[in-house]
Coordinates of all heavy atoms in Angstrom, one line a residue:
V72 N 14.8 -121.6 72.3 CA 14.7 -120.4 71.6 C 13.8 -119.4 72.3 O 12.6 -119.7 72.6 CB 14.2 -120.6 70.2 CG1 13.9 -119.2 69.4 CG2 15.1 -121.6 69.4
L73 N 14.4 -118.2 72.7 CA 13.6 -117.3 73.6 C 12.7 -116.3 72.9 O 11.6 -116.1 73.3 CB 14.7 -116.5 74.5 CG 15.7 -117.3 75.2 CD1 16.7 -116.4 75.9 CD2 15.0 -118.1 76.3
C74 N 13.1 -115.8 71.7 CA 12.4 -114.9 71.0 C 13.0 -114.7 69.6 O 14.1 -115.3 69.3 CB 12.3 -113.5 71.8 SG 13.8 -112.6 71.8
S75 N 12.3 -114.0 68.7 CA 12.9 -113.7 67.4 C 12.5 -112.3 67.1 O 11.6 -111.6 67.6 CB 12.2 -114.6 66.4 OG 10.8 -114.5 66.3
S76 N 13.3 -111.7 66.1 CA 13.0 -110.3 65.6 C 11.7 -110.3 65.0 O 11.3 -111.2 64.2 CB 14.1 -109.9 64.8 OG 14.2 -110.8 63.7
E77 N 11.0 -109.2 65.2 CA 9.6 -109.0 64.7 C 9.7 -108.6 63.2 O 8.9 -109.0 62.4 CB 8.8 -108.0 65.5 CG 8.5 -108.4 66.8 CD 7.7 -107.4 67.6 OE1 7.4 -106.3 67.0 OE2 7.3 -107.6 68.8
V78 N 10.8 -107.9 62.8 CA 11.0 -107.5 61.4 C 12.5 -107.7 61.2 O 13.4 -107.8 62.1 CB 10.7 -106.0 61.2 CG1 9.2 -105.8 61.4 CG2 11.5 -105.1 62.1
P79 N 13.0 -107.9 59.9 CA 14.3 -108.0 59.6 C 15.2 -106.7 60.1 O 14.7 -105.6 60.1 CB 14.3 -108.1 58.1 CG 13.0 -108.6 57.7 CD 12.1 -107.9 58.7
V80 N 16.4 -107.0 60.4 CA 17.3 -106.0 60.9 C 18.1 -105.4 59.7 O 18.5 -104.3 59.7 CB 18.3 -106.4 61.9 CG1 17.6 -106.8 63.2 CG2 19.2 -107.6 61.4
L81 N 18.1 -106.2 58.6 CA 18.8 -105.8 57.3 C 17.9 -106.2 56.1 O 17.5 -107.3 56.1 CB 20.1 -106.3 57.1 CG 21.3 -105.8 58.0 CD1 22.6 -106.5 57.7 CD2 21.5 -104.3 58.0
S82 N 17.6 -105.3 55.3 CA 16.7 -105.6 54.1 C 17.4 -105.1 52.8 O 18.3 -104.3 52.8 CB 15.4 -104.8 54.3 OG 14.7 -105.2 55.4
P83 N 16.9 -105.5 51.7 CA 17.5 -105.0 50.4 C 17.4 -103.6 50.3 O 16.4 -102.9 50.8 CB 16.6 -105.8 49.4 CG 16.0 -107.0 50.0 CD 15.8 -106.5 51.5
G84 N 18.4 -103.0 49.5 CA 18.4 -101.6 49.4 C 17.8 -101.1 48.2 O 16.9 -101.9 47.5
P85 N 17.8 -99.8 47.9 CA 17.0 -99.3 46.7 C 17.6 -99.7 45.4 O 18.7 -100.2 45.3 CB 17.3 -97.7 47.0 CG 18.6 -97.6 47.7 CD 18.6 -98.8 48.6
L86 N 16.9 -99.4 44.3 CA 17.4 -99.7 43.1 C 18.7 -99.1 42.7 O 19.0 -98.0 43.1 CB 16.3 -99.2 41.9 CG 15.0 -100.0 41.9 CD1 14.1 -99.2 40.9 CD2 15.2 -101.3 41.5
G87 N 19.6 -99.9 42.1 CA 20.9 -99.5 41.8 C 22.0 -99.6 42.9 O 23.1 -99.4 42.6
S88 N 21.5 -100.0 44.1 CA 22.5 -100.2 45.2 C 23.1 -101.5 45.1 O 22.7 -102.4 44.5 CB 21.8 -100.0 46.6 OG 20.8 -101.0 46.8
V89 N 24.3 -101.7 45.9 CA 25.0 -103.0 45.8 C 24.2 -104.1 46.6 O 24.5 -105.2 46.4 CB 26.4 -102.9 46.4 CG1 27.3 -101.9 45.6 CG2 26.3 -102.4 47.9
D90 N 23.2 -103.7 47.3 CA 22.4 -104.7 48.0 C 20.9 -104.7 47.6 O 20.0 -105.0 48.4 CB 22.5 -104.5 49.6 CG 22.1 -103.2 50.1 OD1 21.8 -102.4 49.3 OD2 22.2 -103.0 51.3
Q91 N 20.7 -104.3 46.4 CA 19.3 -104.1 45.9 C 18.6 -105.5 46.0 O 17.4 -105.5 46.1 CB 19.3 -103.6 44.4 CG 18.0 -103.5 43.8 CD 17.6 -104.7 43.0 OE1 18.4 -105.5 42.6 NE2 16.3 -105.0 43.0
A92 N 19.3 -106.6 45.8 CA 18.7 -107.9 45.8 C 18.8 -108.7 47.0 O 18.4 -109.8 47.1 CB 19.2 -108.8 44.6
G93 N 19.4 -108.0 48.1 CA 19.5 -108.8 49.3 C 20.6 -108.3 50.2 O 21.6 -107.7 49.8
A94 N 20.4 -108.5 51.5 CA 21.5 -108.2 52.5 C 21.5 -109.4 53.5 O 20.7 -109.6 54.3 CB 21.0 -106.9 53.3
M95 N 22.7 -110.1 53.5 CA 22.8 -111.4 54.1 C 24.0 -111.3 55.1 O 25.2 -111.2 54.6 CB 23.0 -112.5 53.0 CG 23.4 -113.8 53.5 SD 23.7 -115.0 52.1 CE 24.5 -116.4 53.0
A96 N 23.8 -111.3 56.3 CA 24.8 -111.3 57.4 C 25.8 -112.4 57.2 O 25.4 -113.6 57.0 CB 24.3 -111.2 58.7

Side-chain angles (χ1 to χ4, degrees):
V72 178
L73 305 174
C74 67
S75 60
S76 54
E77 296 182 359
V78 296
V80 297
L81 293 178
S82 298
L86 289 174
S88 64
V89 297
D90 58 359
Q91 177 272 331
M95 173 182 168

